[in-house]
Structure formats: C-alpha cells, structure tokens
Amino acid sequence: MSPKELPAHMQRGHQTRERVMAQAVEIARSEGLEALTIGRVAALNDITKAGLLGHFPSKIELQLATVEAGREAFFTAVVLPALQAPAGAHRLGVLLRGWIDHVANKPGGCFFASIAAEFDAKPGVVRDRIADLMREWLGALERMLEGARNQGDLQEAADARLLAFELHGIELSMNLRTQLLGEAAAAAMAAQAMRDCVEAQATRKGKFALARGWETA
Amino acid sequence: MSPKELPAHMQRGHQTRERVMAQAVEIARSEGLEALTIGRVAALNDITKAGLLGHFPSKIELQLATVEAGREAFFTAVVLPALQAPAGAHRLGVLLRGWIDHVANKPGGCFFASIAAEFDAKPGVVRDRIADLMREWLGALERMLEGARNQGDLQEAADARLLAFELHGIELSMNLRTQLLGEAAAAAMAAQAMRDCVEAQATRKGKFALARGWETA
C-alpha cells in the first residue's frame, strides 16, 4: 500500500517521518549521527519527545533509520539514473558524474564518508550497518565496471576491484578538499581524475560510451 | 636548549608532556579530538586536572597541541626518511611506501583523515589549523612530484596537482577500507594503485628510480 492510500492520520504520520528523516540526514552529514538526540530532533520538528519516541523508540533506532534514509537518497540520486541508462561505459559515465554532483553540491558533503569516519571505531549495530551499506555500494560499483568490461567497453585486463578502489578514493579526496579546504576546483579535478582513471582502461568504443554517459548525466 | 640540558624538574615536565601528547594522538586517531577532555587525559596519565591544566590551560589548547604532535609524528615517520633519500622518483617511492606503512599499521588509522572528518563542519582555530596542515602536506607532496618531473623522472605533461589529488584519494580509500571494512588487502591494493598512478606518468628512468625507492623504504 503506497502512502497515498493510507487513512489521513496515518498519512500525516508518514509525512512526519519523511520530514524528520530528511532533516536527520542533513544534520548527520555535517555534524554526525551522534548529534541526533531525540530531544533535538523533536524540537526541530516541533513535536514532543514522546511523539518522536513513537516513531523511533531509541537514539540507536533514530540513527539506524537515518542511515537507511541516507542510503535511499543516494540510491535515488546516483544509482537509479545510472540503472536507467544503457549498460556498459555509458552507464558508468552517468553513475560517476551523478556521484560527483550529488556529493559536491551538498553542504556537509558525502553522508557516508562523514558517518564512516565517525563510527569506524565504535563497534555496534550502527557501525555494522554503515559497513554493510559501504560494501553494497562498492560491490555495485565493481559490478558496473565488470559489466562494462564484459561488453567490451573496458580492456579485458581491467581490474574492476582496483578501479572501484581508485574511483572511491577520488570521491573521498574531492570530499575532503571541498569540506575541509573549501577548494572550489575539487569537483572539476575529481571529474578529470575519474575520467582519466577509467579511460586508461577503456577500449576505443568504451571511451565514446563513457563520454556520452558523462555528458547526458 | 635540548630537553637533556634542562634541570631535572623541567625534564620531568618535558617527559610528562611528551607522554601525554603521544597518548592524546592515539585517542584522537580512534575517537577524535573531542574525546580529549582535560579530566580523562589527566586520569589516564595519573596526574591531577590542575597539573594537566598547567601544561594545557584549556581543552582547545590540548586539542591544538595534539594536532601539532600528530603532525610531528607524521613528519618523522613519513616525510623525513623521504627527504633523506635521493631526490626525484626514488624519494617519491620512499615517501609513498612510508605513507602507506604509517597509516595501514596504526589502530585507528590515519590521524589526519580522522580529525579532518571530525572538524570539517566545526569552524574555529582547531579546524583552521587542521586545514593549514593538510594544505602543507598536499603542497609538500605536489613539490616532490614537481621535483621528480623537473629531473626527468615524470613526463613533462605530468600534472603534479592532479597526481597529488589521486594519491591522497588512494590513501583515504585504503584508510576507510581498513578501518570500517577491516579489509586486510587494502594496503596492498593502495600500493598497487599508487604505483600504477605514478608509473602511468613516469619516464623509463623514473620507473626504475620509483621501484628503487619503494623497495628500500
């Protein structure tokens, strides 16, 4: 049942939850998941603590829900448009360009880089979930690189795992330079570095497809 | 005047400070600079809060001193051995290999990646100092790349700024995979990615010098 078919009071509950989640993601992006206290999030949304606890019985549940909301926002903005593009290097171009745009234009930058650094030394369910989603994303990136290789857009010798490692690094480098150093040129440098990195492993046909995907993203 | 020439009571003060700083760096590496409260650091070192406040009159001064201690540890472990090696791609090999070893073998990983993510959205003197040191390091890396190019170890068209951007990204990617995902292979992948990255821009002579520096590091 989609939210539109819910009775009015449940629709309001759904809308409240969506609004709380969108805001929680923005807070966590800049300040981290530990900044999400029940009291603060309730006050920001003009609801009572008891009301918020009805949605999220504990801080950990609020943090976990925020991690899922961040994943969903990333999927919608970056992964979905790529899946709708032709497979191969074209899709890869859409994905990489979308990834840069999504991260570079956000105050606070990369949600997952921020919460990964925050939780990497804090064992528990929140850290485990962040690690699972990071593996999921790096796996998806590797599979898209393998797909591009399998259809002859990347050279047979291309190492999808190493390429994903490098592309992720370029994104992290861009994020640090944007957020900490305020370098306006970081997104353009990341775009050049990512394209250089893929083109070095691409076939002639793959280079054209990458450029088409990049430009139509 | 070196610490050895100080009177005994001042030598003890110097040793206390060194011990406190080394421990503060390790705490910040895993938990961040905000975990450095005067009370906790005093208790860990078995000294009174008043005694610690004699060294660091406020939490911010303790944080700033910790940032400097982290810089010094990095300089000693990574930059100094490179400066003692022959200039050019040989020096670059020593530097990059030393960088990977320094970060990969530390519980908590990269001190500066950790505190950069922690402070990038917290305006103030601590953030400013972290940003200055990050610029200093990236500038030093760029100058070593330019030095290698100027003596014919990298191709004339090599873009030192973009290469530094990529190498830093590889280090960040390694750090995230090691710390969050526990990937034991991350250091070896970073080594391969860094060497690929530099070799793609190196001359024949530069490739040999890079390999020599890498192996003797």
Side-chain angles (χ1 to χ4, degrees), chain A residues 127 135 165 169 173 179 181, chain B residues 127 135 165 169 173 179 181:
Chain A
R127 179 188 189 284
R135 284 191 196 95
F165 184 101
S173 194
Q179 296 306 312
L181 307 182
Chain B
R127 180 188 189 285
R135 283 191 196 95
F165 183 101
S173 194
Q179 296 306 312
L181 307 183

Side-chain angles (χ1 to χ4, degrees), chain A residues 169-175 177 183 185-191 193-194, chain B residues 138 141-142 145 159-172:
Chain A
I170 291 166
E171 188 261 349
L172 293 170
S173 194
M174 172 184 82
N175 191 56
R177 285 183 187 246
E183 287 187 9
M189 287 180 78
M194 283 192 183
Chain B
L138 293 171
L141 180 58
E142 278 174 42
L145 289 160
D159 183 337
R161 201 164 146 65
L162 195 62
L163 259 173
F165 183 101
E166 292 167 347
L167 294 168
H168 188 209
I170 291 165
E171 187 262 349
L172 293 170

Side-chain angles (χ1 to χ4, degrees), chain B residues 35-52:
Chain B
L36 295 173
T37 61
I38 296 285
R40 178 177 176 190
V41 174
L44 277 171
N45 286 281
D46 210 15
I47 49 183
T48 61
K49 272 175 124 173
L52 190 68

Side-chain angles (χ1 to χ4, degrees), chain A residues 148-164:
Chain A
R149 187 185 57 203
N150 293 344
Q151 67 179 69
D153 284 350
L154 297 184
Q155 295 160 21
E156 291 229 2
D159 182 337
R161 201 165 145 66
L162 195 62
L163 259 173

Side-chain angles (χ1 to χ4, degrees), chain A residues 20-175:
Chain A
V20 169
M21 283 294 89
Q23 200 176 52
V25 169
E26 294 318 309
I27 292 173
R29 198 189 295 284
S30 294
E31 300 174 46
L33 289 169
E34 293 294 13
L36 295 174
T37 61
I38 296 284
R40 178 178 176 191
V41 173
L44 277 171
N45 287 279
D46 210 14
I47 49 182
T48 61
K49 272 176 127 174
L52 190 68
L53 287 166
H55 292 278
F56 310 100
S58 69
K59 182 175 176 179
I60 284 188
E61 279 160 287
L62 176 59
Q63 291 176 328
L64 285 172
T66 305
V67 172
E68 297 309 316
R71 176 194 180 278
E72 195 168 316
F74 186 84
F75 184 84
T76 306
V78 181
V79 181
L80 195 58
L83 293 177
Q84 290 163 341
H90 186 123
R91 173 172 294 170
L92 195 59
V94 174
L95 184 82
L96 297 178
R97 170 79 183 273
W99 192 13
I100 291 175
D101 289 349
H102 181 69
V103 171
N105 298 326
K106 287 273 181 311
C110 180
F111 174 73
F112 282 100
S114 167
I115 65 174
E118 184 186 12
F119 272 81
D120 63 4
K122 288 181 186 158
V125 289
V126 178
R127 179 188 189 284
D128 291 348
R129 189 63 187 144
I130 297 168
D132 284 347
L133 293 182
M134 188 65 77
R135 284 191 196 95
E136 177 189 66
W137 160 241
L138 293 171
L141 179 58
E142 278 174 42
R143 280 192 304 282
M144 282 201 207
L145 288 160
E146 283 162 6
R149 187 185 57 203
N150 293 344
Q151 67 179 69
D153 284 350
L154 297 184
Q155 295 160 21
E156 291 229 2
D159 182 337
R161 201 165 145 66
L162 195 62
L163 259 173
F165 184 101
E166 292 168 347
L167 293 167
H168 188 208
I170 291 166
E171 188 261 349
L172 293 170
S173 194
M174 172 184 82
N175 191 56

